[in-house]
Amino acid sequence: DNSALGYSVGTTLDRFIKMKQDDFPFASGELSQLLRDIALAAKIVNREINRAGLANIGGAFGQTNVQGEEQQKLDVIANIRFTRALTKGGEVCAVVSEEDDEVIDLQNNSGKYVVAIDPLDGSSNIDVNISIGTIFSIYRRVTPLGSPIQPEDIMQPGNKQVAAGYVLYGSSTMLVYTTGHGVNGFTYEQSLGEYFLSHPDMKAPASGNIYSVNEGLYNQMSNGLQSYINHCKENNFSARYIGSLVADFHRNLLKGGIYIYPGTTKTPNGKLRLLYEANALAYIAEQAGGKATDGHERILDIMPTSLHQRTPLFIGSEKLVDEAKTFLSEEA
Ligand code: AHG
Ligand code: MN
Ligand code: MN
Ligand code: MN
């Protein structure tokens, strides 16, 4: 309706960041600038994605990453674009990326922030034109500015995040992020090159009837989880799983639901990575009134021990996550 249009057209990301600047008095604008740097890189990646089929940048790159996955060309392109934007932006001292084995030291020890990023989430969906995303987590470095970065700057628990967000390259391209004062969603208007506030103060419905899990893993799931999946089927849930975490998460955030990537007999810690998938979405989920757990503890309280460590993930509407946990505890 007109007021919503007026509201969204009236508030660009830039203006919103400025308006919200007073939410964190300690910052002297570096975090705002960092968010702008990420938003700019996302515009560039969005354009590459939209023309991938035509510019021969679809398909496999021809190398495997530290995850043992076959990198897609757009994985590599997105990784370069975001890392370059963060380097040029000057606010970041180190980057942890899904696509780089080791921490990327930006040789900028006066950079206040550390960024963990999944440059392109849902790579298996690139060539079949299904929504994909980018996920990012922002931390303040804990060792003195000007000194070399240390492991403790990188291995921080999710509860130390100062900001987190995702980009969803879907039917429209959206940027959703939090700086600890709620969650706001912006829709990208390609013809103007601007993001406009379209989803102010996003709240996760307390419950819902959507469950998202790769049912192909059913036989490798614990008895407790199998009984939870059956509970969903017996209570006329809808099964919605498109294999792009960002898209599945975003739909469930808007409509209510639970996304599960469990530990299995073959992969006890599941598939998703703590530093640049689970932590960022867990921060957003909680800021929107939802929950995120590994089945035992709060995702944000997990103390990382290795860069690319994986964690089981149960995330979404509070009531559904709590309910899933009771089924899991029954198995014990
Ligand atoms: P990525 O493409 O960044 O490696 O992440 C893929 C993840 C996530 O996006 C998705 O939900 C999940 O992998 C799908 O895994 P399965 O194909 O095993 O269901
Ligand atoms: Mn991957
Ligand atoms: Mn991913
Ligand atoms: Mn990825």
Side-chain angles (χ1 to χ4, degrees):
D1 66 38
N2 218 3
S3 63
L5 191 65
Y7 192 72
S8 59
V9 169
T11 319
T12 63
L13 174 65
D14 238 10
R15 198 170 305 152
F16 184 85
I17 290 175
K18 266 195 209 85
M19 244 164 47
K20 288 287 178 178
Q21 178 99 26
D22 53 29
D23 272 349
F24 27 96
F26 65 83
S28 45
E30 288 102 331
L31 181 61
S32 304
Q33 188 48 49
L34 171 46
L35 289 167
R36 287 190 193 92
D37 295 337
I38 290 173
L40 172 62
K43 291 181 186 177
I44 296 167
V45 171
N46 177 60
R47 192 185 55 198
E48 316 257 27
I49 288 169
N50 289 345
R51 63 198 187 96
L54 299 171
N56 185 27
I57 51 176
F61 177 61
Q63 284 178 16
T64 54
N65 60 15
V66 67
Q67 326 284 340
E69 300 164 345
E70 195 189 15
Q71 286 180 311
Q72 300 302 297
K73 285 180 191 158
L74 273 172
D75 278 325
V76 176
I77 290 170
N79 194 35
I80 291 167
R81 292 291 187 184
F82 277 104
T83 311
R84 192 183 294 167
L86 294 175
T87 304
K88 275 197 278 191
E91 308 301 348
V92 174
C93 58
V95 173
V96 176
S97 166
E98 180 202 348
E99 305 304 333
D100 284 86
D101 306 10
E102 306 299 331
V103 175
I104 309 168
D105 182 334
L106 298 191
Q107 305 300 323
N108 171 30
N109 291 337
S110 56
K112 252 176 156 176
Y113 295 102
V114 172
V115 174
I117 189 165
D118 177 356
L120 202 70
D121 173 73
S123 310
S124 62
N125 283 328
I126 296 172
D127 290 353
V128 295
N129 203 18
I130 288 175
S131 302
I132 49 184
T134 296
I135 309 170
F136 62 90
S137 239
I138 303 175
Y139 295 86
R140 206 175 301 105
R141 72 173 289 184
V142 294
T143 55
L145 290 184
S147 66
I149 46 173
Q150 302 298 330
E152 57 267 38
D153 289 314
I154 308 297
M155 308 307 274
Q156 302 189 47
N159 58 36
K160 296 287 185 200
Q161 289 175 88
V162 291
Y166 58 83
V167 185
L168 176 55
Y169 310 98
S171 39
S172 65
T173 291
M174 280 192 70
L175 169 66
V176 176
Y177 78 90
T178 181
T179 55
H181 302 273
V183 179
N184 290 284
F186 298 79
T187 298
Y188 182 53
E189 171 46 70
Q190 193 120 2
S191 63
L192 299 176
E194 284 281 6
Y195 296 90
F196 291 96
L197 180 65
S198 53
H199 297 65
D201 197 22
M202 296 171 79
K203 290 289 177 220
S207 192
N209 68 353
I210 294 174
Y211 75 103
S212 307
V213 68
N214 182 344
E215 302 238 10
L217 301 170
Y218 185 83
N219 296 339
Q220 302 164 45
M221 291 177 190
S222 65
N223 297 335
L225 182 52
Q226 288 180 340
S227 53
Y228 177 66
I229 304 279
N230 294 331
H231 161 81
C232 293
K233 294 178 194 288
E234 285 142 19
N235 288 273
N236 53 52
F237 275 58
S238 288
R240 290 285 185 274
Y241 188 78
I242 73 167
S244 279
L245 171 59
V246 171
D248 281 320
F249 175 82
H250 182 74
R251 178 204 49 243
N252 292 0
L253 178 60
L254 292 177
K255 297 192 165 187
I258 182 169
Y259 175 97
I260 299 169
Y261 206 108
T264 66
T265 41
K266 283 185 194 147
T267 55
N269 290 322
K271 173 182 183 181
L272 301 176
R273 284 57 53 117
L274 177 66
L275 261 67
Y276 39 79
E277 288 172 314
N279 270 338
L281 298 184
Y283 188 28
I284 291 168
E286 290 197 3
Q287 281 288 312
K291 273 194 167 181
T293 173
D294 65 355
H296 304 286
E297 65 175 312
R298 192 172 165 246
I299 291 287
L300 296 183
D301 291 338
I302 299 176
M303 193 60 208
T305 50
S306 86
L307 219 46
H308 300 286
Q309 76 184 65
R310 298 169 193 263
T311 173
L313 180 64
F314 299 74
I315 189 168
S317 297
E318 181 180 18
K319 286 211 182 72
L320 301 184
V321 173
D322 286 345
E323 206 171 42
K325 269 186 82 170
T326 56
F327 280 83
L328 294 176
S329 53
E330 268 152 31
E331 82 204 357

